[in-house]
Every structure is written in C-alpha cells, then in structure tokens.
C-alpha cells in the first residue's frame, strides 16, 4: 500500500481542460471511492469503462464552461477532486452545486478534502456564485462540511443506494459565501 502524503505537499488546481491522462487518473480515484463504499451515484461493479465515460462527460462540461473541476495532486498524481456546477436555472444565477468531492483512500485524513472544499468556495465566488449547495450520504464528509462552516439543511432517509446495495440517507448542506 502506498504511504500517505502530508497535505503540505498537496496542490489543488483548477483544470481548464482535461487531458486523457487526467481522465485516466480521475477514473482511478472514482473507482477507488466506489470500491471503498462511497455512495457517489455508482453501483458495484464499478468498471473502468463506466468511470472513463463519466469523466469524459465531466470534461465536456468543463469545456462548455458549465462546471469547474478542481484536482488535488501530490507527488504521486491526482488524489482527489471536486466539481462546482455553474449551470443553473435562470432564476438561480447566484447559486452553484458542489458535486463529487472524492479523495482516494490513500490520501484521506491528510487535508485533501478540506483543501478541495476551500478551493471550490474560492472558485465559485470568482464565478459570481454566492450560495453553494451539496448533498452527502457519508457521515465523515458531513462532519468535514460542518467543520468548514457549511449548514445542514436536512436529511432524507432512504435517498440512495450504497454501491454494494442497501439504502442510505443523504444530508443536504448549504453555504453562503457573502
């Protein structure tokens, strides 16, 4: 197993375009998270083809300016990611959704999640967004969001399925950036 890398060696950057190599690395992160039980819209078995197709779609959204893609990298490559979905209905120009905050298991508890979320907030504000919304089925992530100042809006029981099956609740959070 690879050793963990301290957050001080972590770089978070915005991807203005997404290369084939980055799509491959992002697929590795997504597969690791789903294999580890993360309820992030995918069921087991999590195939490489499914992961690659997802990230190609995200790359298309980045190219169209519909979303911001942030990448967390250490000396070994991409270890985490988060998206800010800018494209919203016309009556919600001030709002964005935060989605798919993923951190590879080898890099967890090293500050990557917090660094990604802080960067997401900065990028959203730079894009003119003043209200962010997200949902999570993960209690660990919920604690992180609360520590970062996000407000829980409510929990919906039986909202989704875990990757191996079985229902799970999801909690919605919001954060005002003004």
């Amino acid at each position: 197993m690879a050793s963990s890398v301290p957050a001080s060696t972590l770089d978070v950057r915005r991807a203005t375009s997404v290369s084939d190599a980055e799509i491959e690395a992002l697929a590795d992160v997504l597969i690791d998270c789903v294999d580890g039980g993360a309820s992030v819209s995918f069921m087991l078995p999590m195939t490489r083809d499914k992961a690659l197709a997802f990230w190609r779609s995200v790359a298309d959204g980045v190219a169209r300016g519909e979303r911001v893609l942030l990448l967390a990298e250490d000396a070994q490559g991409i270890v985490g990611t988060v998206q800010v979905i800018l494209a919203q209905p016309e009556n919600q120009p001030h709002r964005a959704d935060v989605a798919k905050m993923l951190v590879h298991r080898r890099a967890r508890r090293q500050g990557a999640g917090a660094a990604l979320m802080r960067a997401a907030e900065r990028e959203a504000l730079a894009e003119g967004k003043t209200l962010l919304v997200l949902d999570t089925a993960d209690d660990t992530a919920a604690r992180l969001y609360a520590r970062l100042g996000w407000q829980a809006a409510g929990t919906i029981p039986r909202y989704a399925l875990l990757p191996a099956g079985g229902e799970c609740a999801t909690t919605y959070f919001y954060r005002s950036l003004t």
Side-chain angles (χ1 to χ4, degrees):
M1 182 172 164
S3 62
S4 295
V5 177
S8 61
T9 63
L10 189 71
D11 178 49
V12 176
R13 67 177 173 85
R14 181 175 178 165
T16 54
S17 63
V18 188
S19 71
D20 289 341
E22 289 167 332
I23 287 172
E24 291 285 340
L26 286 163
D28 291 339
V29 172
L30 178 58
I31 291 167
D32 176 74
C33 289
V34 174
D35 285 350
S39 178
V40 291
S41 305
F42 297 95
M43 300 297 291
L44 292 172
M46 184 61 195
T47 65
R48 185 150 200 86
D49 286 343
K50 194 178 349 178
L52 291 170
F54 171 76
W55 288 111
R56 286 184 188 115
S57 174
V58 169
D60 290 344
V62 169
R64 289 189 301 270
E66 298 169 349
R67 62 185 63 219
V68 171
L69 177 64
L70 295 164
L71 307 174
E73 299 170 288
D74 66 15
Q76 298 174 24
I78 295 174
V79 296
T81 183
V82 69
Q83 298 171 52
V84 179
I85 301 172
L86 303 170
Q88 299 297 327
E90 68 178 283
N91 70 337
Q92 299 168 41
H94 61 290
R95 184 179 75 75
D97 292 334
V98 174
K100 300 291 183 283
M101 205 277 285
L102 306 169
V103 176
H104 195 284
R105 286 179 282 182
R106 77 172 175 82
R108 291 195 186 150
R109 300 200 180 278
Q110 302 295 317
L116 282 163
M117 291 303 294
R118 285 189 211 102
E121 292 171 9
R122 283 191 303 272
E123 292 294 331
L125 200 52
E127 291 288 340
K129 304 300 181 175
T130 57
L131 179 66
L132 296 178
V133 177
L134 64 79
D135 70 272
T136 184
D138 184 286
D139 290 339
T140 302
R143 287 190 299 272
L144 168 67
Y145 302 140
R147 273 196 318 274
L148 293 174
W150 287 69
Q151 300 297 311
T155 299
I156 302 171
R158 302 178 55 223
Y159 186 82
L161 297 177
L162 294 167
E167 296 173 341
C168 64
T170 195
T171 302
Y172 278 84
F173 284 85
Y174 69 94
R175 173 134 177 150
S176 177
L177 300 178
T178 58

